[in-house]
Amino acid sequence: MKKSSTIPSGITKLNVFLAKNRDEEKSDFRVIIYGSKRSCSVYAGESPTIVAQVENNGGFKVSVYPNVDYAFILALLMIVKDTECSDTEEIDALSAIQMTSSILSLV
């Protein structure tokens, strides 16, 4: 996963490359994080097709679109949570378990 710096401040773009994509010319998925983790969207490759969305406005809502692997989205969200928290605070095991439980209950 590579962090991109070509988008406006307050927005973070993560490029996701699967193992078979060795040349890493185009990402297999993109994760766009808006603001201070209030929402994010997961896109299929470089297309405008959204495969999952997360909203965190006092509640936690995850939408995973049809034919998308829920475990894969969960893994991406855990990476996003860890990546974002590493800049400002540490994530502990209990927080990770609570987030995972929250996501799984919505699926």
Side-chain angles (χ1 to χ4, degrees):
M1 190 174 300
K2 292 183 179 178
K3 192 172 180 177
S4 173
S5 61
T6 60
I7 54 179
S9 63
I11 297 175
T12 302
K13 177 183 174 187
L14 300 175
N15 294 309
V16 180
F17 301 93
L18 300 180
K20 66 179 174 138
N21 186 353
R22 296 192 191 276
D23 59 356
E24 296 185 357
E25 286 182 24
K26 291 187 178 181
S27 60
D28 295 297
F29 293 90
R30 290 175 297 135
V31 181
I32 308 294
I33 306 161
Y34 304 98
S36 59
K37 296 185 288 183
R38 293 204 183 270
S39 66
C40 74
S41 298
V42 180
Y43 294 85
E46 298 297 322
S47 76
T49 304
I50 296 175
V51 296
Q53 290 184 303
V54 177
E55 293 179 25
N56 187 8
N57 297 324
F60 195 76
K61 178 183 173 190
V62 178
S63 301
V64 179
Y65 291 80
N67 303 315
V68 177
D69 185 349
Y70 285 57
F72 176 69
I73 297 301
L74 173 64
L76 283 179
L77 295 178
M78 293 305 294
I79 291 167
V80 166
K81 172 85 171 132
D82 190 39
T83 301
E84 290 299 298
C85 288
S86 66
D87 292 339
T88 58
E89 61 187 53
E90 288 188 28
I91 183 172
D92 58 14
L94 180 58
S95 296
I97 290 169
Q98 289 172 336
M99 181 181 175
T100 303
S101 173
S102 202
I103 291 170
L104 291 177
S105 69
L106 295 170
V107 184

